[in-house]
Amino acid sequence: AVERGPDARMRRVVVKARIVRLKVGSRAADAHVRYLQRDGMTRDGERGQLYGTETDAADGKDFTDRGREDRHQFRFIVAPEDGDRLSDLRGFTRDVMRQMEEDLGTRLDWVAVGHFNTGHPHSHVVVRGRDDLGKDLIIAQDYITDGVRLRAQERATLELGPETDRELRAKLRAEVSAERFTRIDRVILAEAEERVLDLRPEAGQVRGDFDRSL
């Protein structure tokens, strides 16, 4: 059996976040929203459409006009590992944003677009740097780093159910030949003592034989 941590059965979601400082008079925010619209794509191959909390056809210019005086904005990429199995990526993203509002205690002004053209469906979300009282929106660094990801994982797990052993093993097999830093690499680093990893059965490794064979 593969031993796993307390959140081991959670569906994985990769979240990349940036805080972007905005200069007065700059059109950088406009350019970013236009880029998201241009590169966005639906599951059916149609051009992506910006959407928001309650609209499926958000106006990008209206959104950036509202934020002309904002000092900053937050940009998130939310990429569920099993995004191709989610019935509605847009609904998933809205659920994550609603949970963010609850956690932060304020309504958020945001737009998003789905990207389905990479083989890994994901959402780009832009959040204005103002809370519902018009003050600068402050989000704690640990929430940006981990909180959004954990909330997204909770939502994905709620829809798809906990990850099964069979799914985990299939994903780990795919990671063996991946030219990137994977979960297997993290396990190796965590278990190696003084830069040596002893895979002999008598060494008493905490991982199961399956991990050792990989």
Side-chain angles (χ1 to χ4, degrees), residues 8-194:
R9 294 295 178 179
M10 299 287 281
R11 297 282 168 172
R12 289 204 306 172
V13 179
V14 174
V15 175
K16 297 181 180 179
R18 291 181 60 201
I19 303 174
V20 180
R21 306 297 175 186
L22 302 177
K23 296 180 180 179
V24 176
S26 170
R27 294 284 171 169
D30 303 69
H32 182 66
V33 169
R34 286 196 300 271
Y35 155 75
L36 293 182
Q37 290 178 282
R38 184 177 66 250
D39 278 27
M41 183 176 291
T42 68
R43 195 183 297 270
D44 298 323
E46 302 294 328
R47 180 177 176 178
Q49 171 64 58
L50 282 177
Y51 62 91
T53 303
E54 297 178 353
T55 179
D56 288 337
D59 187 322
K61 184 177 184 304
D62 182 53
F63 175 77
T64 53
D65 283 346
R66 292 197 302 273
R68 291 292 173 212
E69 303 301 317
D70 294 356
R71 296 182 180 181
H72 61 277
Q73 65 180 203
F74 300 89
R75 298 176 184 174
F76 297 93
I77 300 175
V78 183
E81 184 178 57
D82 301 301
D84 57 333
R85 294 181 54 197
L86 292 173
S87 60
D88 180 9
L89 183 63
R90 183 175 294 183
F92 168 82
T93 303
R94 281 187 172 129
D95 286 344
V96 173
M97 296 307 296
R98 276 193 288 268
Q99 185 61 60
M100 280 186 63
E101 290 181 324
E102 185 173 328
D103 292 340
L104 299 175
T106 180
R107 290 189 303 276
L108 300 173
D109 191 356
W110 60 272
V111 293
V113 66
H115 284 205
F116 287 84
N117 56 341
T118 63
H120 298 283
H122 58 279
S123 298
H124 288 258
V125 185
V126 182
V127 183
R128 282 189 57 203
R130 298 275 184 173
D131 62 18
D132 53 9
L133 298 178
K135 298 180 180 178
D136 286 344
L137 176 64
I138 305 299
I139 303 180
Q141 185 61 51
D142 61 346
Y143 189 83
I144 293 175
T145 304
D146 295 312
V148 181
R149 174 181 55 82
L150 291 173
R151 288 307 197 185
Q153 290 184 167
E154 289 172 358
R155 181 64 189 82
T157 305
L158 182 64
E159 177 170 342
L160 299 176
E163 187 180 56
T164 66
D165 281 343
R166 177 175 295 182
E167 288 175 309
L168 171 65
R169 289 169 180 171
K171 291 171 183 176
L172 287 175
R173 285 194 187 98
E175 290 179 4
V176 170
S177 58
E179 295 296 330
R180 57 183 174 81
F181 195 74
T182 69
R183 276 180 288 194
I184 295 173
D185 298 308
R186 292 189 182 92
V187 170
I188 289 173
L189 286 176
E191 295 198 4
E193 296 183 5
E194 298 182 358

